[in-house]
Amino acid sequence: MNRLLERVRQAQRLFKERLELVAATKDGLTEAQYIRYLTMQYHLTNGVQRHFFRIAAHPDLARRRSFRKFLLSFGNEEELHFEIARADLKQLGHEPSDCPLDVTLWWAYFNSVVDQRPFLRLGGTAVLENIAGASGPTIQALFARAPYLTPKNSKFLVMHQHDESLPHGDQILDALKEANLEPHHLNDLVKGAEIATVLYLRMCE
């Protein structure tokens, strides 16, 4: 697990650096960038529960029933988050546009491996659910300079900072620690985290 945790910390550092570059610009986070972000998240989260349900069905979880139960519950919690991104877009006068190429690549890759190597996808989940964990002050600074942001159109972003009120990042890492995983599972977690970091940072460009 230490290798996975290091990949998560690396993803956090890279994401924070990306946000700091945006914060250093004259305009900060523009409304157009924010709309692209919400559109990306809409397509990234729409249907996400299917991966968790497919992972839960994997034979390697037959004797890891507590972890299987966790994944089913996690998928249920995540299932409707895309609607929050859509609602934020609607508050800004927009509907989700076409799925960005990098999100399409994310789905194409993880759809191709999730049934046979589900821990690749779970490594990706560990990154997604924790990547903003070191960026709270930077995000708040961006908020402060974005006059178009209101409580009504920023619900998705606020929710996915994953603070104490919605600690999904900690939950997935704790569940993985307790799942009594084998070396090949751990190797796939690390590999999946590395791939997810590359793909997610591409989405945020």
Side-chain angles (χ1 to χ4, degrees):
M1 282 297 295
N2 286 338
R3 290 189 297 144
L4 174 63
L5 294 175
E6 177 51 39
R7 296 306 185 280
V8 168
R9 287 190 289 266
Q10 181 183 38
Q12 290 176 332
R13 289 193 296 270
L14 292 170
F15 183 64
K16 183 180 179 183
E17 289 172 4
R18 184 68 54 84
L19 290 180
E20 288 171 343
L21 288 175
V22 175
T25 63
K26 177 182 177 183
D27 297 323
L29 182 67
T30 67
E31 186 171 349
Q33 287 174 316
Y34 183 58
I35 289 168
R36 287 200 301 272
Y37 166 81
L38 288 174
T39 297
M40 176 269 285
Q41 291 289 6
Y42 170 85
H43 289 290
L44 187 63
T45 56
N46 189 359
V48 69
Q49 77 282 355
R50 296 173 186 168
H51 277 177
F52 296 114
F53 297 162
R54 287 163 69 179
I55 294 168
H58 193 275
D60 282 4
L61 274 64
R63 298 185 184 279
R64 295 178 171 88
R65 296 299 177 92
S66 294
F67 188 48
R68 176 175 280 173
K69 183 178 179 180
F70 166 81
L71 290 172
L72 294 173
S73 176
F74 196 85
N76 285 332
E77 287 186 30
E78 294 282 321
E79 184 172 7
L80 296 179
H81 283 194
F82 76 101
E83 293 285 11
I84 302 170
R86 193 213 301 261
D88 284 347
L89 282 166
K90 187 173 182 180
Q91 287 290 331
L92 291 162
H94 290 265
E95 289 290 334
S97 57
D98 292 342
C99 185
L101 175 60
D102 289 315
V103 180
T104 300
L105 292 174
W106 171 283
W107 279 104
Y109 174 73
F110 283 114
N111 274 332
S112 74
V113 299
V114 67
D115 292 319
Q116 298 302 318
R117 297 175 66 184
F119 287 89
L120 287 169
R121 180 60 176 87
L122 291 174
T125 301
V127 165
L128 284 192
E129 297 296 337
N130 287 282
I131 197 165
S135 299
T138 307
I139 292 171
Q140 292 303 319
L142 287 169
F143 270 31
R145 294 179 57 202
Y148 57 86
L149 280 177
T150 71
K152 289 185 177 181
N153 65 27
S154 58
K155 292 179 180 178
F156 187 96
L157 187 55
V158 170
M159 174 182 290
H160 288 82
Q161 290 183 63
H162 296 306
D163 57 15
E164 297 82 9
S165 64
L166 193 70
H168 277 184
D170 291 338
Q171 288 173 357
I172 187 66
L173 292 175
D174 289 343
L176 288 167
K177 289 176 188 175
E178 296 169 5
N180 192 27
L181 301 179
E182 299 171 33
H184 69 281
H185 298 141
L186 297 171
N187 288 337
D188 274 0
L189 286 175
V190 172
K191 184 67 174 178
E194 292 171 347
I195 292 169
T197 299
V198 172
L199 292 174
Y200 189 78
L201 291 176
R202 281 175 57 97
M203 294 179 211
C204 295
E205 289 180 350

